[in-house]
Amino acid sequence: MEQRSRRSSRTMRKQPGSVAGAYLALLADRGVDYLFGNAGTDFAPLIEAYAEAAQTGTAVPRPIVATHENLAVAMAHGYGMVSRRIPAVMVHVSVGTANMICAALNAARENVAILLTAGRSPLTEKGLPGSRDGYIHWAQEMYDQGGMIREIVKWDYELRNGEQLTTVVDRALAIAATEPRGPVYLALPREVIAAPVSHPQPLSPSRLRAASPPAPDAAAIEAAAALLAKANQPLIVTSNGGRHAAAFGALAEFAERFAIPVVQHRPRYLSLPSSHSMNLGFDPARLVPKADLILVIESDVPWLPSLVTPAGGCKVVQCGLDPLFTRYPIRGFPCDVAIAGSVVATLAALTAALADGIDADLVARRRSRVRDERAALTGEWQAARDAGAHKSPLDPAWVSHCIDRSKDPRAIVINEYTLFVEQCGFEHPDLYFGSSSASGLGWGAGAALGAKLARPDSPVVAVVGDGAYLFSNPAAVHYASALHDLPVLFVVMNNAKWGAVERSTRAMYPAGRAALSNAPMFIELSRLPAFERICEAAGGHGERVEDPAALPGALARAMSIVKNERRQALLNVICGPGGTA
Ligand SMILES: Cc1ncc(C[n+]2csc(CCOP(=O)(O)OP(=O)(O)O)c2C)c(N)n1
């Protein structure tokens, strides 16, 4: 779990003048490669320290300007999600913290470790370097700035003086990196970071390590293995098993060996190759009622209890680094056995416990049943895309299929939920990332930029709805793409509405007045701007696609421009009803 600096220096070069300078050098030494920033008056000591570092040649995190805090955190999220390294974000005092909370909740729910930081209004009214010198410094101060974000982060603190700098930063990073990972928050008052450094340089590397994850308990493994061994229709439901790339292969092996089908409910990280014989798609509703044992692996919501219930005698085993999701206020999924531990360790222990005690005939029967289920399911997917192939406005199933067909096999796809993942093929881990279960909209476009930063050689495609696109702060996104040379393809599935809001209204009031109305409130987004022109305004390529037959060509053109001209591109694809959220 330890995050080492990619730079070779084991000691810092030169004593920086201020705490801000020492802080930046410390971050670099601890392996924080990027500082995503949205600046204000609190940044002055940091900006000065960056200028000093440029002159002295001190290693510091690369600064990445993001012109909205939501974007800064979404980019950091995308970067951390793909690289598994810990980035830092710095925003402007209370107001910047307020703006980043939605994106921070997205990262927290997906266990993405980020060092979130914010300045604090100067504490003193005069007399110190950094004391208040602007009228905003009174109004922006809050009694408890960290309180706004405390519920979301794993730890928060305010740096009190330069002497504690190393302890504070190392503690922040170690807590963020300890599983289940997550963002932490540090406030940096202006006088404190403006003060001269008076203490000796810290040791490198850090002496504070992230804690190792809990090892699965032997008795719990035995109990779960006994249930698995005798189950006729076991089912694995996962959402985030693949957050550790090694778990992708481990789950594939486990599911295959014991013939246990896998459903990925709302995956944020893919846990199984698309073509795997045990892959039964993404909808738990058809399989949960038939199962006599459900093995929940890293899934906060393995099924929707209002729609489906496991059969009477069905046992449920839940495993994960925090199998009960203790940060969620309410979550009542039954749990006969709960196993805390990493997916890889848990599956290895279950495999060892099952190795001799499982009946080969039982496994063979399971295997043939899953083969039939999978054949039926893939047939349905095929039928759905065939049915959509000629529709205009375009059918999201067809759009998803075309994206799949045109993408490079190494491409990373970021899905802010409008892509139909069952229409796509991903054979390796870390090629597909879905939006957070917190679903704070506006994540996908920024996360795609962060993913590109983490893996510059991979093409990156962001698929978002028109609603999500507008939430993402498009002008800021396209500017960041151009400014930081992060060419990405954005595909906007534009149904000119907040479809999820419509679906939820119809589900609650199927025969209600809104369902019968031609123009229910808060659903239709009429007279939307030409999104493709927003991308063009930042130097990118843009196209509007209304003809299903034109989509493959438009995708090929856009992908070629992104790759060969290193320019971002946006396809504004005019879609009909979708329906995944
Ligand atoms: C920050 C935030 N505000 C509001 C919502 C509520 N919300 C969920 S889905 C949705 C509509 C998204 O529209 P779009 O991206 O076009 O996709 P569609 O639902 O039409 O498929 C809204 C407004 C949210 N999830 N996050």
Side-chain angles (χ1 to χ4, degrees):
M1 271 325 132
E2 183 204 350
Q3 170 156 306
R4 286 276 175 102
S5 170
R6 297 198 219 240
R7 301 168 180 97
S8 56
S9 70
R10 290 183 64 81
T11 49
M12 294 178 201
R13 284 213 200 152
K14 179 178 178 296
Q15 178 95 356
S18 67
V19 172
Y23 168 69
L24 291 177
L26 182 62
L27 289 185
D29 184 76
R30 298 320 196 223
V32 175
D33 304 319
Y34 293 102
L35 174 60
F36 298 86
N38 188 286
T41 52
D42 46 352
F43 272 57
L46 280 175
I47 292 169
E48 186 62 16
Y50 262 113
E52 186 192 14
Q55 281 181 1
T56 57
T58 307
V60 288
R62 183 178 147 199
I64 303 283
V65 171
T67 54
H68 193 281
E69 293 82 355
N70 209 351
L71 172 63
V73 181
M75 287 178 77
H77 184 155
Y79 172 78
M81 171 181 87
V82 172
S83 69
R84 279 30 174 223
R85 295 178 72 77
I86 304 181
V89 173
M90 170 93 176
V91 300
H92 175 53
V93 301
S94 52
V95 288
T97 300
N99 264 0
M100 80 173 169
I101 284 178
C102 173
L105 184 61
N106 282 339
R109 291 305 194 217
E110 298 317 320
N111 305 115
V112 176
I114 306 175
L115 174 61
L116 300 171
T117 68
R120 270 212 66 185
S121 283
L123 308 170
T124 52
E125 293 184 300
K126 60 179 184 176
L128 286 178
S131 289
R132 296 183 181 185
D133 57 4
Y135 77 101
I136 56 169
H137 290 151
W138 280 261
Q140 285 185 335
E141 192 182 14
M142 294 181 69
Y143 287 107
D144 185 9
Q145 182 174 304
M148 276 191 286
I149 199 165
R150 185 163 300 130
E151 183 173 345
I152 292 168
V153 295
K154 292 179 74 179
W155 168 94
D156 77 287
Y157 194 68
E158 176 178 307
L159 186 70
R160 310 280 163 77
N161 54 56
E163 279 65 27
Q164 62 168 183
L165 179 70
T166 305
T167 304
V168 167
V169 168
D170 285 346
R171 180 162 172 72
L173 293 174
I175 290 175
T178 295
E179 293 286 6
R181 298 178 123 211
V184 292
Y185 177 82
L186 175 63
L188 300 167
R190 194 163 82 155
E191 297 95 321
V192 175
I193 58 170
V197 181
S198 55
H199 55 286
Q201 288 298 288
L203 289 174
S204 177
S206 168
R207 294 292 313 277
L208 260 177
R209 292 283 178 275
S212 58
D217 173 66
I221 289 289
E222 217 172 280
L227 293 172
L228 269 171
K230 62 173 198 266
N232 285 311
Q233 298 220 47
L235 173 68
I236 292 173
V237 184
T238 184
S239 302
N240 271 357
R243 182 162 68 82
H244 296 105
F248 190 89
L251 183 60
E253 225 177 281
F254 181 81
E256 180 62 37
R257 176 160 176 186
F258 300 109
I260 308 178
V262 178
V263 164
Q264 298 176 75
H265 191 209
R266 295 282 168 179
R268 276 77 79 181
Y269 294 81
L270 227 57
S271 304
L272 201 66
S274 302
S275 63
H276 193 280
S277 62
M278 292 293 130
N279 190 333
L280 287 193
F282 304 93
D283 180 9
R286 58 196 286 160
L287 298 157
V288 160
K290 297 189 217 161
D292 56 357
L293 174 88
I294 302 176
L295 182 60
V296 176
I297 298 179
E298 291 289 5
S299 181
D300 51 353
V301 183
W303 62 85
L304 288 180
S306 59
L307 299 183
V308 54
T309 321
C314 176
K315 298 285 185 199
V316 181
V317 177
Q318 298 201 35
C319 31
L321 287 156
D322 175 17
L324 299 187
F325 290 83
T326 49
R327 303 292 297 248
Y328 289 24
I330 279 293
R331 179 179 178 276
F333 294 96
C335 184
D336 298 295
V337 183
I339 307 172
S342 76
V343 177
V344 170
T346 302
L347 292 180
L350 283 175
T351 302
L354 280 170
D356 304 324
I358 196 153
D359 173 2
D361 292 343
L362 181 83
V363 171
R365 281 199 300 280
R366 291 177 187 172
R367 200 178 301 283
S368 84
R369 196 177 306 117
V370 178
R371 194 180 307 122
D372 295 346
E373 297 252 22
R374 184 168 159 79
L377 204 56
T378 50
E380 285 171 28
W381 296 339
Q382 170 83 49
R385 68 172 165 265
D386 290 350
H390 305 291
K391 282 192 195 153
S392 180
L394 277 74
D395 188 311
W398 171 247
V399 178
S400 305
H401 170 66
C402 291
I403 292 171
D404 183 52
R405 294 298 297 273
S406 56
K407 73 179 165 57
D408 182 298
R410 295 168 304 126
I412 294 175
V413 175
I414 306 283
N415 179 17
E416 193 155 9
Y417 91 68
T418 41
L419 180 90
F420 287 13
V421 61
E422 71 274 13
Q423 297 294 349
C424 302
F426 300 98
E427 297 304 320
H428 303 286
D430 287 354
L431 294 177
Y432 171 90
F433 298 91
S435 49
S436 170
S437 53
S439 190
L441 285 179
W443 167 86
L449 298 181
K452 184 71 185 168
L453 197 60
R455 225 186 286 156
D457 296 335
S458 298
V460 177
V461 182
V463 184
V464 299
D466 48 306
Y469 177 68
L470 287 174
F471 272 98
S472 76
N473 235 311
V477 163
H478 294 305
Y479 173 51
S481 170
L483 179 67
H484 303 301
D485 186 25
L486 298 170
V488 158
L489 168 60
F490 304 96
V491 178
V492 182
M493 287 203 190
N494 181 356
N495 60 3
K497 61 172 70 166
W498 289 334
V501 180
E502 179 176 51
R503 289 189 289 280
S504 128
T505 308
R506 283 179 184 274
M508 268 186 87
Y509 304 99
R513 290 179 177 85
L516 299 174
S517 144
N518 288 332
M521 292 299 112
F522 295 116
I523 286 174
E524 303 296 329
L525 300 176
S526 57
R527 292 189 277 168
L528 283 170
F531 298 143
E532 65 281 12
R533 304 238 290 269
I534 306 178
C535 181
E536 281 172 358
H541 165 83
E543 274 188 59
R544 180 182 172 94
V545 182
E546 290 178 86
D547 172 3
L551 182 59
L555 280 164
R557 259 189 311 281
M559 285 178 186
S560 150
I561 287 168
V562 170
K563 184 174 169 200
N564 300 320
E565 299 178 22
R566 291 197 66 78
R567 281 199 299 139
Q568 59 186 310
L570 184 146
L571 297 183
N572 182 9
V573 183
I574 307 307
C575 286
T580 65

